[in-house]
Amino acid sequence: MNGIDFFDRGWRFWPGRPCLVDGVTGAEHTYEQVGQLTLRVAGALRERGYGADGPGGKVGVLSLNDAGAYSVVLGIMRSGSTWLSINARNAGPDIGRQLAHFDCDVLFYQRAFTGSLVAIRENAPGIKEFICLEGPEGDDPGLPEWLGTTPGERVERSEEHTSELQSHHD
């Protein structure tokens, strides 16, 4: 099972239930809220040629444990791009070398890591886009700006797949 398939099962059966909870604020994000964001992220990646429809893409998310950042990870999975897992405890130069080694195309990051960006950019010059999750940072767009008006499209599963999921749910 792909991670996004597992998520979609929860979204299908419990759209209004909590999916992710912010450990710091306690804010709950429902399956519907997270699902809509995954569609928009996937749509924006595909529009830029990073999804499964194009040559593919390798996308990293540099963040602490954060519900919004994990929603972006799910959107990366939904797009067909490859999600590059990053250990946020590593030093900026190490993160940059790792991302360069894996030919990272896009890096989403939290503002808390802006101090590492100079070293990441120096060590991973092939990264084409940097997006700050919380909003614009320097020359980098924020997630809302990067998404623009991308609506995303929900791809419905086949009847056979839906029946299979339903039988496991009952």
Side-chain angles (χ1 to χ4, degrees):
M1 173 181 282
N2 184 327
I4 196 63
D5 292 335
F6 188 75
F7 167 80
D8 283 345
R9 182 173 189 223
W11 188 10
R12 179 176 306 281
F13 295 122
W14 307 289
R17 289 192 185 171
C19 171
L20 299 172
V21 178
D22 187 296
V24 175
T25 66
E28 294 182 348
H29 304 268
T30 66
Y31 277 98
E32 183 66 27
Q33 291 168 323
V34 173
Q36 292 300 322
L37 181 55
T38 70
L39 292 174
R40 293 187 67 210
V41 169
L45 285 167
R46 286 188 194 117
E47 282 179 2
R48 290 166 171 82
Y50 301 119
D53 299 336
K58 296 176 184 172
V59 184
V61 178
L62 179 56
S63 70
L64 301 171
N65 293 331
D66 178 78
Y70 194 69
S71 298
V72 169
V73 169
L74 290 169
I76 293 166
M77 290 178 190
R78 184 176 300 287
S79 76
S81 296
T82 301
W83 168 51
L84 302 176
S85 178
I86 302 170
N87 184 342
R89 293 180 293 241
N90 288 344
D94 295 332
I95 292 170
R97 284 188 290 273
Q98 174 193 4
L99 294 174
H101 178 75
F102 288 107
D103 298 321
C104 182
D105 296 302
V106 180
L107 179 64
F108 293 92
Y109 66 91
Q110 283 185 316
R111 192 166 275 129
F113 296 97
T114 55
S116 298
L117 289 181
V118 169
I120 292 170
R121 290 177 201 270
E122 287 174 358
N123 287 281
I127 298 176
K128 299 169 187 75
E129 297 189 60
F130 289 79
I131 300 98
C132 182
L133 294 168
E134 294 95 342
E137 182 66 37
D139 292 334
D140 300 333
L143 181 61
E145 294 78 17
W146 184 80
L147 291 172
T149 58
T150 304
E153 295 180 30
R154 186 167 185 172
V155 177
E156 291 299 325
R157 301 294 182 179
S158 67
E159 287 300 317
E160 179 181 311
H161 184 73
T162 303
S163 298
E164 177 187 331
L165 289 176
Q166 185 64 43
S167 69
H168 290 293
H169 174 66
D170 294 335

